[in-house]
Amino acid sequence: MRKIAITDITLKKLSQDRAVSLLFREKTAIAACADALGVDAVELAPVKSLREDTIIYKTISQNVKKSTVAIPVGFTEEDVENAFECVKEAASPRLQVELPVSTVQMEYIYHMKSEKMLLKIAALTKKAKELCKDVEFSALDATRADENFLIQAVKEAEANGAGVITICDDAGISLPEEIAALVKKVKDAVNVPVFVQLSDAISMAVACGVAAIGAGADGLKCAMAGENSLSMGAFAAVVKAKGAETGIETGLDNTKIYASIQDMLSKINHETYETTDVSEKKKIVLDADSTLSEVTHAANILGYDLSDEDNGKVHKELARVCEKKGSVGAKELEAIIASYAMQAPSTYHLESYSTNCGNLTSSMSQVTLRRGDELLSGVSTGDGPIDSVFRAIEQSIGFHYELDDFQIQAVTDGKEALGSAIVRLRSNGKLYSGNGISTDIVAASIRAYINALNKIVFEEE
């Protein structure tokens, strides 16, 4: 029986699929599940935030006991050193040099000709080998490359220390016989194991995987979840049904693969890996282990361009809230931003307000604000008391701001529950949020509006 090495790329795939990165606990759960299932290697996503990713990846590396921990090395020798720092404490670390070999990706993404790319492949592979005995070269977009150049590239990588070569079908349009032919050519050109990373864009990944193994491929890259990748569960089913007949086996524990994957997915919020027909806001799920960059990115998705100081305040408060609540979504994050980001001096203060409404007449409100020693009053009608008080505020200050969003909810129970209001105003394309709390929901809404208004005035003046 010939053993086929299986590399799990779930962490990398989900990192690519999501606008907001996985939570710390979700990353560790995925890695632990893959390790327990018996994969030969667990592949990490490329380093984006050096300080935070180093902490996360070191933790994963220390916790993965049986599998190799592999990480892409980036594009510079400094990137190689940073990547190795993340995985050097793993029982079996691997550095991956990932570079394109197709003309379209080399020239339009990396702005390099083939000769320069060969030099880059040699330099990065050599640097990686100096740090780590296990080095892999991944030929990105190999199925669209000139075959002669592909062979040059894999030979260059092997000559400089690569112990594994991976052929990547990024385009996802290859047929099984095409993958098989390419694998055979690469196998004939090198003396190291050849892996294949396939796309399921046209639902051919399993068939291509079987064809690649038939042509001599030594390993496949699979994912437990994520779009357009070879499904680990589907390939395991093929090996279970046809392994004895074809003379192949894997180290996967087929007896518990489906239950383990489902258990792992249950630990990941559905919105963190489902990418179709889900709004960007709904993908936001943060917990106490969420990093500063994750919180900042989530705030950006909500439309906020916060300062470093405000991002720090929001991150600190989110951690405090999550210690009690577990995790928060977009609405809770927005409330934290409204309450803790960009706290501005109170230019406007609420002096008084009154409102009348009923089912037979339009709502009418009068609002009086104080700005310094000056009292400003406005009276307006509107579609309900909230609309009329907002219009009265605008009349008193003599300016209209776009109301981007308005939210209201109870924060305590009972008849005299505290109501929390969040108002988002847009000025010159930038969002400002305000928060107000009161047992009177109209008063809470006015305070939220004034809170956001004061932030606008403070920044613009």
Side-chain angles (χ1 to χ4, degrees):
M1 298 287 282
R2 185 161 69 99
K3 184 182 177 184
I4 304 302
I6 300 297
T7 298
D8 176 69
I9 59 170
T10 308
L11 281 169
K12 179 180 284 186
K13 287 299 300 178
L14 296 188
S15 176
Q16 293 171 348
D17 292 346
R18 295 187 69 225
V20 180
S21 62
L22 291 163
L23 302 177
F24 177 81
R25 59 178 171 80
E26 293 173 327
K27 292 177 181 178
T28 55
I30 292 169
C33 178
D35 189 37
L37 284 176
V39 301
D40 296 273
V42 175
E43 195 166 314
L44 305 176
V47 174
K48 292 182 179 179
S49 175
L50 179 59
R51 183 176 62 84
E52 292 160 358
D53 283 346
T54 299
I55 295 170
I56 295 170
Y57 289 165
K58 278 187 174 182
T59 303
I60 291 174
S61 297
Q62 291 166 357
N63 291 337
V64 171
K65 303 301 182 184
K66 297 178 290 185
S67 307
T68 294
V69 179
I71 186 170
V73 300
F75 197 66
T76 68
E77 292 194 4
E78 183 181 0
D79 291 339
V80 178
E81 294 173 354
N82 291 335
F84 184 62
E85 187 67 25
C86 294
V87 299
K88 68 180 184 181
E89 296 176 20
S92 178
R94 175 182 293 167
L95 295 180
Q96 298 173 299
V97 177
E98 295 186 327
L99 290 171
V101 291
S102 67
T103 301
V104 63
Q105 286 200 9
M106 284 192 294
E107 295 189 0
Y108 290 95
I109 298 178
Y110 287 83
H111 310 294
M112 299 179 75
K113 296 292 186 181
S114 57
E115 296 82 5
K116 293 286 187 181
M117 185 56 72
L118 285 175
L119 293 175
K120 178 61 74 172
I121 291 170
L124 292 184
T125 306
K126 185 176 181 180
K127 178 64 176 179
K129 188 65 175 180
E130 291 174 0
L131 299 172
C132 184
K133 64 179 181 180
D134 188 354
V135 177
E136 172 187 350
F137 171 64
S138 290
L140 303 180
D141 207 20
T143 53
R144 291 195 294 176
D146 175 80
E147 289 186 359
N148 290 330
F149 177 71
L150 171 61
I151 298 304
Q152 281 184 279
V154 298
K155 284 185 173 180
E156 191 72 27
E158 182 186 21
N160 283 277
V164 176
I165 300 294
T166 296
I167 304 170
C168 300
D169 179 26
D170 298 296
I173 56 174
S174 298
L175 296 174
E177 57 268 25
E178 295 170 330
I179 290 291
L182 193 60
V183 168
K184 188 175 187 309
K185 288 183 180 179
V186 174
K187 283 288 293 182
D188 290 341
V190 298
N191 298 305
V192 296
V194 174
F195 293 179
V196 182
Q197 181 170 322
L198 300 162
S199 168
D200 199 36
I202 57 173
S203 302
M204 296 290 286
V206 173
C208 287
V210 173
I213 292 170
D218 302 284
L220 295 176
K221 297 197 173 185
C222 305
M224 296 180 285
E227 293 185 336
N228 295 335
S229 56
L230 174 58
S231 166
M232 186 181 296
F235 182 71
V238 171
V239 175
K240 183 177 181 180
K242 293 290 185 179
E245 182 179 329
T246 57
I248 63 172
E249 63 180 357
T250 70
L252 296 176
D253 187 342
N254 290 323
T255 62
K256 62 179 183 180
I257 186 167
Y258 292 104
S260 295
I261 291 176
Q262 289 305 312
D263 180 62
M264 180 273 293
L265 293 179
S266 71
K267 297 175 182 176
I268 303 176
N269 185 288
H270 177 71
E271 292 164 354
T272 66
Y273 60 87
E274 179 62 52
T275 59
T276 56
D277 300 322
V278 179
S279 71
E280 293 302 308
K281 288 186 179 181
K282 287 185 178 180
K283 294 178 186 177
I284 296 174
V285 183
L286 302 168
D287 65 7
D289 292 319
S290 295
T291 63
L292 178 60
S293 64
E294 290 171 343
V295 174
T296 301
H297 195 93
N300 289 339
I301 288 176
L302 293 176
Y304 294 101
D305 183 16
L306 304 178
S307 67
D308 291 343
E309 181 182 359
D310 282 335
N311 281 321
K313 291 178 181 177
V314 172
H315 180 249
K316 182 177 180 179
E317 178 60 18
L318 180 134
R320 189 188 67 80
V321 171
C322 288
E323 286 179 0
K324 300 178 181 179
K325 188 177 174 63
S327 63
V328 301
K331 286 189 175 181
E332 292 93 340
L333 177 61
E334 191 132 41
I336 292 171
I337 292 172
S339 301
Y340 291 89
M342 194 184 163
Q343 294 305 304
S346 298
T347 304
Y348 292 99
H349 301 265
L350 175 63
E351 285 288 310
S352 64
Y353 82 94
S354 63
T355 183
N356 297 302
C357 62
N359 64 335
L360 299 178
T361 61
S362 297
S363 177
M364 177 176 286
S365 296
Q366 181 273 332
V367 176
T368 299
L369 305 179
R370 178 179 293 277
R371 179 169 183 168
D373 296 330
E374 183 182 10
L375 290 178
L376 307 170
S377 294
V379 178
S380 181
T381 59
D383 185 15
I386 304 297
D387 184 46
S388 64
V389 295
F390 286 176
R391 290 173 182 268
I393 293 172
E394 290 179 348
Q395 189 181 83
S396 67
I397 64 175
F399 203 88
H400 169 74
Y401 293 102
E402 178 187 348
L403 181 63
D404 186 86
D405 192 21
F406 171 67
Q407 300 173 23
I408 196 166
Q409 60 183 349
V411 295
T412 57
D413 298 324
K415 293 188 297 180
E416 297 182 356
L418 280 173
S420 172
I422 297 175
V423 169
R424 291 183 6 147
L425 300 179
R426 189 179 294 275
S427 177
N428 296 323
K430 186 172 181 179
L431 283 177
Y432 299 82
S433 62
N435 176 248
I437 296 177
S438 175
T439 53
D440 179 346
I441 205 60
V442 176
S445 303
I446 295 172
R447 291 189 174 112
Y449 192 106
I450 294 174
N451 185 221
L453 174 62
N454 284 329
K455 294 177 181 180
I456 295 174
V457 173
F458 175 69
E459 180 159 308
E460 294 186 350
E461 289 188 352

